Amino acid sequence: MSNTLKLPLESLKLNVDLAGFEFPVAPELPDTILGQSRAQSALEFGVAMRNPGYNIFVMGEPGLGRLSMITNHLYAQAKTLPAPSSYAYVDNFDNPREPVAIELPAEHGSTLSKDIEKLIDNLLATFPAIFESPTYQQKKGAIERHYNQYYNDAIDLVDKKAQTLSIALFREGESISFAPIQDNKALNEDQFTQLPLSEREIFHKHVEALEEYLSDVLLELPQWRRAMVEKIKQLDTDTISLAIEPLFSKLNDSYQNIDDVITFLAEIKKSLSNTIADYLMPGRTPEPQDNTAKRLLLTELYAPNILVDNQQESGAPVVYEPHPIYQNLFGRIEYVSDQGALVTNYRRICAGSLHKANGGYLILDAEKLLNYPFVWDGLKRALQSGRIEIESPYSDLGINTITLKPEVIPLNVKVILVGSRDIYYLLEELDDEFNEMFKILADFDNYIPRNDESMQRFILLMIKQAADSGAKPLTRTAIECLIEHSCRLSENQHHFSARIKDSLEIIAEASLFCQRDNQQVCDRAHIEQALAAREHRNGRMPENILEEMLVGTILIDTEGESIGKVNGLTVLEVGCSSFGAPVRITTSVYPGSRGIVDVEREVELGQAIHSKGVMILSGYLGHTYAQQFPLAISGSIAIEQSYGYIDGDSASLAELCCLISALTRMPIKQTFAVTGSINQYGEVQAVGGVNEKIEGFFRLCQARGLNGQHAVIIPAANKRNLMLKQEVIDAVAKGLFAVYAVSRVDETLELLTGQPAGVLDGEGLYPEDSINFKAISRLKEISDMATDEEDKEEGI
């Protein structure tokens, strides 16, 4: 039987022959990603659906070309669509804390900004020069003269009355004084003091009467002054209005079809009267200002903050946000320090990725999105409400870092989330709203069926990658080696690995060795050299474990026979590398009814699937051996010198064989190593990592010296997964090593013990010299012992 179970050389590896395939120098690649037709069609459907909720979740592991497929398709689609509106924020002159959003056609953002800059330049050229013009000065002088005439007429009345009382009236600016007259001459202070007291008293009485009269005639002086100020202010307003009207007339004509801009220009025009009066009139500011300061002032007041200005020829925007924190996604408001206080205004509002992608497509990494606080909930709110609101995500925590509340902007965006399967199913389970907003799933396959079409496309892709990256041209044998390696990554002779990125990286690494050898083409040898170098870089851990096995620190026998001991095979994963390593599995069996104890589970190192595999052993023993009597057995199974967590049921075949060896006292050949899982009926099932497991045991045997007896037993279902290294195949060809494929437990027992397992005869009995007969006999003996013990206890 052993010869029929031994695998031939051609089964151990897929040898690719690309004879007959095309190898163009400058290949044209299809638009679709190799082997991802399902995901491609889902993406196309999701992009075409414009209804709400048809956002897309692209599911798959990194390295499958997810982002490349998305961006290539979206950029091609976006060019066929019109560019969406541009948006800007402007000052709300009635409430500066709530800036106003204005919508503009594409490419009009920069145009509006330049027009407002030109308007500011024109304002600075016009003001304050317009107030120094003769026309303005003449009108202002007329108003002032009219006021002065009122004042002069009133003073003249007082002067006439004073003359009748022989008193002179003197005016010094706004001051008025009186002096007595003698001999037609006004007396000075010294002369006045020389007058008789009676005359001086009469003079004072007359002055009091004149002052009362002066107050009466000047009673309306404040009203006259207010009227003058109002007239001058109206003159200023009319002058300003007349001066700025031509400046706005052209702007209104340019933007007559854009309602938001027309409203904005009207608000500027209304506000300019006060601004010019306050800052651009002569003598209004305490200190004279140069044009730079005035321009900065006007810019801060009127220049629009262009949030997004889409270009017409670019079509709809496609935005990938690599760092989706809240501020990067929804926008933020910046602050500056002004004399120790943080201040802001509408010009410090910054756009987020949602603003930039509005009207187009936004690509986000799902894992990063969920890692940052408030972002996922904020994105859902934005998609559900159809608007972008710039706010502080920390306000609910009592940390108010915002002083503005910008007007919301309508949102129309298609969101594409890129994430792993774990994240997708987690969101689907924990968030009831997830499926309502992301109705399209683009599921990336991990494997690509290997056929003539996919192999031809793989060839074209490798050739183009070599040309685009500047690597040396690939030979046919180099591409054959890349296909073989891709099949090894997929652990299937009939599938490529969908991780095309790994093959592209190998081309770059092989090109380095090609340059060192001064070769003009990259051959198979260079690909193999790159793969060997990669394995060496990641090989510290497997080398250390092999060394510990060779010096006896880790106990693994590769010679002789032992009872209750078998070599199992495991795959260890450290970082991004994985490798196989043999382990010793031991069992002990003794009378009792405790059952089979999984030592790994008892110490909480065995994970659920491994524990399940051990529990299946009891089912197999009961089904195969204990049909005529109760199954009463005590035993323990341990994976020796294992100090970490163990999962998977790939050791269950080895554990069962080891258990039967301990039960029947039949030794197991230590030149064998075993991997495979079983079911309760003794059928051997496929396992993962079969190539690494075989190579791990091979390395140990090779280091100790191959003797032709060393071999590995694998499930027959894993034959299609074999992509072994050439050194293993060479050893098999020389008869120094062997790989056996089994489909039942009995086949494995016969290989390990060299004894027949036995087949049931017509009476339902096994031959007396068979393994199964000895197992039944031993189990019945233990069962009888347990029954006798129970009878004794009952008798007592």
Side-chain angles (χ1 to χ4, degrees):
M1 177 184 288
S2 62
N3 288 332
T4 61
L5 299 176
K6 183 183 293 187
L7 296 179
L9 284 175
E10 58 269 17
S11 299
L12 303 181
K13 179 186 176 184
L14 169 70
N15 292 302
V16 178
D17 185 2
L18 296 179
F21 287 88
E22 297 179 2
F23 292 83
V25 177
E28 290 291 333
L29 294 180
D31 294 333
T32 57
I33 296 293
L34 175 61
Q36 303 293 351
S37 58
R38 179 188 293 105
Q40 182 88 23
S41 62
L43 179 66
E44 291 173 358
F45 178 80
V47 170
M49 284 295 295
R50 307 309 301 174
N51 295 28
Y54 281 85
N55 298 296
I56 305 167
F57 192 102
V58 178
M59 183 173 73
E61 302 307 315
L64 300 181
R66 301 170 302 175
L67 200 56
S68 299
M69 186 187 81
I70 295 167
T71 53
N72 291 341
H73 179 76
L74 292 183
Y75 278 123
Q77 182 73 16
K79 290 180 181 179
T80 65
L81 300 175
S85 299
S86 301
Y87 282 94
Y89 273 112
V90 296
D91 197 5
N92 182 345
F93 302 108
D94 295 329
N95 184 3
R97 190 177 178 273
E98 298 181 0
V100 176
I102 61 175
E103 182 179 357
L104 301 157
E107 295 189 357
H108 278 63
S110 59
T111 303
L112 176 63
S113 184
K114 291 176 182 177
D115 286 343
I116 298 301
E117 287 180 7
K118 186 177 180 181
L119 173 64
I120 291 173
D121 290 338
N122 290 335
L123 289 173
L124 292 174
T126 304
F127 302 98
I130 194 70
F131 296 114
E132 298 170 355
S133 67
T135 302
Y136 173 81
Q137 293 295 335
Q138 183 180 4
K139 291 180 179 179
K140 183 181 179 182
I143 294 172
E144 292 175 343
R145 286 194 300 273
H146 185 68
Y147 161 76
N148 290 335
Q149 186 62 44
Y150 279 122
Y151 183 77
N152 292 335
D153 290 345
I155 299 302
D156 287 344
L157 291 175
V158 177
D159 187 27
K160 289 179 181 179
K161 185 172 183 177
Q163 290 178 5
T164 60
L165 299 174
S166 298
I167 297 177
L169 183 147
F170 295 96
R171 295 175 57 182
E172 295 181 5
E174 294 293 325
S175 299
I176 295 177
S177 59
F178 298 96
I181 298 175
Q182 277 190 355
D183 299 330
N184 295 325
K185 292 177 64 176
L187 302 180
N188 57 28
E189 188 69 25
D190 293 336
Q191 293 172 334
F192 177 74
T193 56
Q194 294 177 2
L195 291 175
L197 178 61
S198 59
E199 292 183 12
R200 291 201 303 270
E201 290 178 351
I202 292 172
F203 173 76
H204 286 306
K205 289 180 180 180
H206 288 166
V207 168
E208 288 178 1
L210 289 173
E211 287 177 345
E212 287 182 6
Y213 183 60
L214 178 63
S215 297
D216 291 338
V217 298
L218 292 180
L219 185 64
E220 296 181 357
L221 177 63
Q223 183 176 343
W224 298 338
R225 186 165 294 174
R226 284 195 300 271
M228 182 192 70
V229 171
E230 288 295 329
K231 287 185 178 181
I232 293 177
K233 186 175 181 180
Q234 185 62 46
L235 172 64
D236 292 344
T237 301
D238 294 342
T239 302
I240 292 171
S241 179
L242 194 63
I244 65 176
E245 185 62 36
L247 304 182
F248 280 88
S249 177
K250 187 176 180 181
L251 284 176
N252 286 325
D253 290 341
S254 300
Y255 296 98
Q256 60 181 339
N257 296 323
I258 308 175
D259 293 342
D260 284 358
V261 178
I262 294 299
T263 303
F264 170 53
L265 293 175
E267 292 296 323
I268 292 180
K269 190 174 180 181
K270 188 194 306 181
S271 169
L272 273 175
S273 295
N274 292 331
T275 302
I276 293 173
D278 291 340
Y279 300 105
L280 300 183
M281 286 185 64
R284 288 298 177 93
T285 54
E287 299 178 1
Q289 295 180 322
D290 57 13
N291 270 3
T292 301
K294 293 177 181 178
R295 179 176 285 104
L296 179 61
L297 172 68
L298 293 176
T299 299
E300 289 291 312
L301 286 173
Y302 302 120
N305 175 11
I306 307 300
L307 209 63
V308 179
D309 190 18
N310 294 302
Q311 301 301 307
Q312 192 66 52
E313 68 275 5
S314 300
V318 178
V319 177
Y320 171 64
E321 176 52 67
H323 187 48
I325 62 175
Y326 197 94
Q327 291 80 358
N328 288 353
L329 199 59
F330 298 95
R332 65 186 185 277
I333 300 174
E334 296 180 340
Y335 297 81
V336 295
S337 178
D338 183 7
Q339 297 180 354
L342 292 178
V343 296
T344 187
N345 60 28
Y346 76 96
R347 290 182 55 78
R348 306 200 180 278
I349 301 173
C350 300
S353 298
L354 278 175
H355 297 96
K356 298 172 185 176
N358 199 7
Y361 308 96
L362 176 62
I363 307 169
L364 298 169
D365 187 301
E367 183 175 1
K368 294 178 181 177
L369 192 72
L370 297 174
N371 279 338
Y372 297 115
F374 309 107
V375 175
W376 175 244
D377 288 337
L379 179 62
K380 289 195 299 182
R381 283 197 306 272
L383 293 176
Q384 289 168 343
S385 63
R387 61 184 194 176
I388 315 172
E389 186 172 356
I390 302 177
E391 58 184 355
S392 170
Y394 308 106
S395 57
D396 292 342
L397 303 179
I399 307 172
N400 189 8
T401 59
I402 191 167
T403 58
L404 298 181
K405 188 178 181 181
E407 184 180 2
V408 297
I409 291 176
L411 176 63
N412 177 24
V413 68
K414 180 81 69 174
V415 176
I416 296 93
L417 282 186
V418 184
S420 66
R421 284 174 170 77
D422 291 342
I423 292 178
Y424 176 81
Y425 293 124
L426 182 69
L427 286 171
E428 192 175 44
E429 179 181 358
L430 299 181
D431 193 332
D432 295 336
E433 300 172 324
F434 173 68
N435 283 332
E436 292 298 319
M437 290 185 295
F438 290 87
K439 296 182 178 181
I440 302 299
L441 172 63
D443 190 358
F444 269 67
D445 291 321
N446 289 328
Y447 309 110
I448 303 169
R450 186 180 63 82
N451 51 43
D452 289 347
E453 180 185 357
S454 62
M455 289 176 70
Q456 183 63 68
R457 288 195 58 186
F458 189 93
I459 293 170
L460 300 180
L461 183 61
M462 296 301 105
I463 294 174
K464 183 170 177 57
Q465 170 63 19
D468 292 347
S469 64
K472 298 293 183 181
L474 299 171
T475 65
R476 191 186 82 179
T477 57
I479 298 178
E480 289 173 349
C481 187
L482 286 170
I483 292 177
E484 292 170 5
H485 176 68
S486 184
C487 290
R488 177 181 169 89
L489 289 179
S490 70
E491 295 189 29
N492 197 311
Q493 296 180 3
H494 306 290
H495 289 160
F496 293 123
S497 168
R499 291 178 56 85
I500 302 299
K501 182 180 178 182
D502 188 82
S503 297
L504 305 182
E505 291 172 351
I506 292 171
I507 293 175
E509 295 172 16
S511 181
L512 178 62
F513 293 104
C514 184
Q515 293 173 6
R516 290 180 180 177
D517 295 342
N518 294 319
Q519 299 294 316
Q520 297 305 311
V521 292
C522 186
D523 207 352
R524 172 184 280 269
H526 299 114
I527 301 294
E528 291 177 343
Q529 198 173 0
L531 292 173
R534 176 179 289 189
E535 184 176 356
H536 179 71
R537 292 195 300 271
N538 299 326
R540 182 185 65 83
M541 188 67 71
E543 287 181 5
N544 290 347
I545 292 176
L546 178 60
E547 180 65 25
E548 291 182 348
M549 292 178 182
L550 294 176
V551 301
T553 304
I554 298 177
L555 300 178
I556 301 289
D557 290 336
T558 54
E559 303 290 342
E561 297 179 342
S562 294
I563 296 173
K565 297 178 184 178
V566 70
N567 293 326
L569 294 173
T570 63
V571 173
L572 303 178
E573 294 185 2
V574 179
C576 60
S577 64
S578 63
F579 57 92
V583 294
R584 171 177 283 180
I585 300 173
T586 62
T587 62
S588 63
V589 176
Y590 44 90
S593 57
R594 185 181 179 187
I596 301 172
V597 176
D598 178 11
V599 174
E600 310 303 326
R601 181 180 62 182
E602 294 298 316
V603 297
E604 298 183 354
L605 288 178
Q607 302 297 291
I609 297 178
H610 176 263
S611 298
K612 175 186 175 183
V614 174
M615 295 174 72
I616 287 175
L617 303 187
S618 298
Y620 174 80
L621 294 177
H623 168 75
T624 307
Y625 301 133
Q627 294 297 309
Q628 305 298 326
F629 53 86
L631 179 63
I633 186 175
S634 292
S636 63
I637 299 176
I639 298 177
E640 304 294 353
Q641 294 183 285
S642 171
Y643 307 108
Y645 291 107
I646 296 174
D647 202 4
D649 60 353
S650 63
S652 58
L653 176 60
E655 291 168 339
L656 177 60
C657 294
C658 189
L659 181 65
I660 294 175
S661 169
L663 181 68
T664 62
R665 308 302 295 173
M666 297 186 68
I668 288 177
K669 298 175 183 178
Q670 300 300 296
T671 54
F672 279 83
V674 185
T675 184
S677 71
I678 64 166
N679 61 27
Q680 297 184 95
Y681 294 96
E683 296 171 323
V684 179
Q685 303 166 148
V687 295
V690 65
N691 293 299
E692 290 86 350
K693 291 175 178 179
I694 294 173
E695 291 161 0
F697 186 65
F698 173 81
R699 282 193 298 268
L700 175 60
C701 298
Q702 184 184 47
R704 288 179 173 173
L706 295 169
N707 59 12
Q709 301 299 315
H710 297 119
V712 169
I713 299 173
I714 66 170
N718 280 119
K719 288 191 289 186
R720 64 183 301 173
N721 305 117
L722 291 176
M723 288 294 298
L724 295 172
K725 293 181 179 177
Q726 192 60 43
E727 59 178 345
V728 180
I729 296 174
D730 292 341
V732 173
K734 295 175 183 179
L736 299 175
F737 195 76
V739 179
Y740 294 90
V742 298
S743 56
R744 298 196 61 83
V745 171
D746 287 351
E747 296 172 346
T748 312
L749 288 171
E750 291 179 354
L751 287 172
L752 291 175
T753 63
Q755 301 295 321
V759 179
L760 289 171
D761 58 18
E763 298 179 359
L765 300 175
Y766 288 104
E768 291 189 5
D769 61 343
S770 66
I771 299 172
N772 289 331
F773 179 83
K774 294 178 181 179
I776 290 176
S777 299
R778 179 57 176 158
L779 286 172
K780 189 173 188 310
E781 179 184 345
I782 295 174
S783 177
D784 292 342
M785 293 171 61
T787 302
D788 292 343
E789 187 67 29
E790 290 177 1
D791 292 341
K792 289 180 181 180
E793 291 179 358
E794 290 177 2
I796 292 175

